[in-house]
Amino acid sequence: MDQEHQVVVVVVPLPAQGHLNHLLHFSHLVSDRQIPVHYVGAATHNHQVKNRIHGWDPSATSNIHFHDFLIPSFPTPPPDTNAANKWPSHLLPMFEATDHLRRPLAELLHSLSLTCRRVVVVHDNVMSFAAKEATLIPNGEAYSFNSCSAFGVMFFKWEALGRPSFPGIESINQDLLQLSFEDCMTYDFINFITKHMEFSDLHVGEIYNTCYPIEGKFIDLVSQEPFLKAGNKRWAFGPLNPLSSVNSKSAHRCLEWLDKQSPNSVLYVSFGTMTSISDEEITAIAIGLEKSEQKFIWILRQADLSDVYANQEEIQIKLPEGYEERVKGVGMIVRDWTPQLEILGHSSTGGFLTHCGWNSCMESLSMGVPMAAWPMHSDQPRNTMLITEILEVGVLAREWGNRKEVASPTEIEDALRKLMASDDGEDMRKRAEELGVAIRESASKEGKSTAEFNSFIAHISRV
């Protein structure tokens, strides 16, 4: 394609690991269609997302151009493990620093607009200033990328509209609609969102990392007014993560350990990159895991700092005295970065104790792995409802209503036994496996997700 007729995509993520990861997966998919992608952010966050990506051939990024924009330094306070609200307030200074991306982004868009037929800006829905900048060039257009489930987005929008009644909502279990999601976020972050979604009406379409086998009903709901502005378009073409993982040159030691275990026998435990857990709850999890008598891999790391490469002393999370020796051979404690997608895709992995971040949910669902759900903040309580109540491919490890109490080891033990060693758990596993097959079929050459992605590519490439 001649340069003057070229379409380019500019990707603007929120600099938190799950959001960075979603949009880098998206960038790979677009790049595979021979459309240049410009991925923008601070140098430290671009470095972070490239280092942590799994499942893609590292040499397959030649059509992705990373722009390391300079922004002023920002505070990198440690996480507060004892905070009453689990939302990661220590990351807020980093999020606020994204205001400084606006000017270099505007310069990049202007430069691209001089040589490209169309400049397509795909921005995290919170980073709506990118939509404003897209409107300021004559050949620019913006699309909002939702890093939450369609179910979660529907709830957020419905509550913002004052919970109006209409046929789609009325068909949902009324008990679910009455649940309170107070404390999902801090007031400071709500204010940040309010400010940074100021230009959200300027995008011309929305993208979701989900698919019809998972939440077709809710994809259709968010495609209607009042959830989608008249004239706007919507695409759902998840999962964005690879479904046939490209193994790294040197396998992580936990994968070597999984190779020696029986099929579906290992519980994978990880609460993501933004969650801080108190010492008391770490102890409860440790004892609950031990008493459940299930094999496990537990990723035990502090929540990410704003700059994961900042020169700060790593505080090792403490376990009960003698714990690691007692569980040797049964459980593996991992304190470094791990290839989650490859772990979930391993035949020995039979369950996932998770915070239910949407990135983790999508990876687990696409690999057919059932979950024990322990929501911490943000969209996670809603994702938990989807996993446990609607899809029925998971068990509650922790009720959202009990979030202010310290979990008991018995509560955790019971949930893990139910998931990994009960008839109910086996039924969940079968449903998860069947759903995984349907998801992979949707992402196949003739599948619904592929058709949606083709539609998006055709739309942005239109003459």
Side-chain angles (χ1 to χ4, degrees):
M1 186 180 292
D2 294 336
Q3 189 177 29
E4 64 266 28
H5 298 301
Q6 195 176 57
V7 174
V8 297
V9 173
V10 179
V11 171
V12 187
L14 182 75
Q17 177 61 35
H19 298 247
L20 293 166
N21 193 51
H22 277 302
L23 277 168
L24 187 53
H25 285 316
F26 167 81
S27 298
H28 273 280
L29 294 175
V30 173
S31 175
D32 281 348
R33 297 299 182 91
Q34 305 308 308
I35 296 176
V37 178
H38 296 261
Y39 190 102
V40 306
T44 185
H45 299 126
N46 286 349
H47 185 44
Q48 170 184 334
V49 71
K50 286 187 284 186
N51 274 0
R52 289 179 170 182
I53 193 77
H54 287 287
W56 296 97
D57 183 342
S59 66
T61 60
S62 59
N63 215 24
I64 301 177
H65 310 279
F66 289 90
H67 295 265
D68 296 343
F69 290 155
L70 293 175
I71 62 175
S73 60
F74 45 81
T76 56
D80 181 1
T81 58
N82 295 312
N85 187 310
K86 291 293 185 183
W87 192 87
S89 296
H90 67 289
L91 298 181
L92 191 57
M94 171 184 70
F95 293 155
E96 291 173 337
T98 59
D99 284 343
H100 296 281
L101 295 173
R102 186 168 180 174
R103 178 175 291 180
L105 173 66
E107 293 171 355
L108 172 64
L109 297 183
H110 174 73
S111 174
L112 291 172
S113 74
L114 299 177
T115 57
C116 300
R117 177 166 56 85
R118 180 173 295 115
V119 179
V120 176
V121 177
V122 177
H123 63 91
D124 190 285
N125 66 334
V126 177
M127 307 285 278
S128 73
F129 65 80
K132 174 65 174 177
E133 296 305 326
T135 67
L136 299 178
I137 57 173
N139 51 351
E141 57 190 34
Y143 299 83
S144 175
F145 181 88
N146 290 291
S147 56
C148 302
S149 63
F151 181 69
V153 171
M154 182 204 72
F155 261 96
F156 282 124
K157 290 187 175 185
W158 181 58
E159 288 168 347
L161 291 167
R163 295 190 163 214
S165 178
F166 60 93
I169 283 288
E170 289 166 0
S171 67
I172 299 173
N173 184 319
Q174 293 301 301
D175 290 338
L176 299 184
L177 295 181
Q178 300 309 313
L179 290 175
S180 168
F181 293 106
E182 186 182 1
D183 296 336
C184 286
M185 305 172 192
T186 62
Y187 288 114
D188 286 343
F189 185 61
I190 291 171
N191 290 337
F192 171 86
I193 290 176
T194 302
K195 174 186 175 185
H196 283 74
M197 293 186 75
E198 178 184 1
F199 303 112
S200 58
D201 284 345
L202 297 179
H203 64 251
V204 296
E206 296 186 5
I207 300 167
Y208 288 83
N209 178 21
T210 189
C211 60
Y212 272 82
I214 298 174
E215 46 178 353
K217 174 179 181 176
F218 306 110
I219 293 171
D220 288 339
L221 273 176
V222 296
S223 305
Q224 302 170 8
E225 291 190 82
F227 298 125
L228 188 69
K229 188 174 70 174
N232 277 15
K233 295 184 177 294
R234 186 277 308 144
W235 295 272
F237 44 74
L240 301 179
N241 58 269
L243 297 175
S244 54
S245 181
V246 177
N247 292 326
S248 47
K249 292 181 180 177
S250 55
H252 193 281
R253 61 189 178 92
C254 64
L255 296 173
E256 296 174 354
W257 187 76
L258 280 169
D259 287 341
K260 301 170 185 175
Q261 312 307 319
S262 303
N264 294 325
S265 65
V266 178
L267 176 74
Y268 173 57
V269 183
S270 176
F271 295 102
T273 57
M274 296 170 65
T275 300
S276 301
I277 303 176
S278 69
D279 291 344
E280 290 83 2
E281 288 195 315
I282 290 290
T283 297
I285 294 167
I287 296 171
L289 278 169
E290 186 178 10
K291 286 187 172 181
S292 74
E293 300 180 324
Q294 304 304 310
K295 291 191 173 184
F296 65 87
I297 293 176
W298 185 4
I299 313 305
L300 193 60
R301 302 173 61 251
Q302 287 283 3
D304 279 350
L305 298 175
S306 297
D307 180 352
V308 299
Y309 304 105
N311 186 23
Q312 294 194 18
E313 183 181 352
E314 177 69 23
I315 302 172
Q316 192 171 86
I317 299 173
K318 293 181 180 179
L319 289 167
E321 188 173 349
Y323 183 80
E324 291 188 64
E325 187 62 34
R326 291 200 308 274
V327 300
K328 201 169 185 178
V330 175
M332 173 179 280
I333 309 297
V334 182
R335 298 181 185 270
D336 58 1
W337 184 254
T338 49
Q340 175 166 293
L341 193 57
E342 292 177 49
I343 293 171
L344 289 169
H346 198 286
S347 60
S348 295
T349 302
F352 183 10
L353 175 56
T354 173
H355 61 310
C356 277
W358 190 236
N359 191 65
S360 289
C361 287
M362 281 300 295
E363 291 185 356
S364 194
L365 291 171
S366 65
M367 296 300 169
V369 177
M371 287 164 263
W374 187 332
M376 299 286 179
H377 57 79
S378 304
D379 59 326
Q380 297 161 19
R382 292 168 175 83
N383 296 341
T384 294
M385 288 168 58
L386 179 67
I387 297 302
T388 61
E389 299 288 339
I390 297 172
L391 298 175
E392 297 182 322
V393 292
V395 60
L396 268 175
R398 182 66 164 160
E399 294 271 5
W400 178 247
N402 297 335
R403 63 191 176 279
K404 294 183 180 179
E405 304 168 11
V406 176
S408 72
T410 301
E411 179 183 10
I412 298 164
E413 175 193 353
D414 290 346
L416 301 186
R417 282 185 182 275
K418 182 175 182 180
L419 181 68
M420 300 296 291
S422 76
D423 291 341
D424 285 346
E426 188 58 32
D427 289 342
M428 291 176 201
R429 187 164 296 104
K430 287 178 181 176
R431 284 192 291 270
E433 289 171 353
E434 290 168 358
L435 182 56
V437 169
I439 291 167
R440 292 190 288 276
E441 287 177 352
S442 181
S444 67
K445 187 175 180 179
E446 304 300 326
K448 175 69 171 173
S449 283
T450 303
E452 291 255 327
F453 186 61
N454 290 342
S455 169
F456 173 73
I457 294 297
H459 178 74
I460 64 172
S461 303
R462 70 195 184 279
V463 177

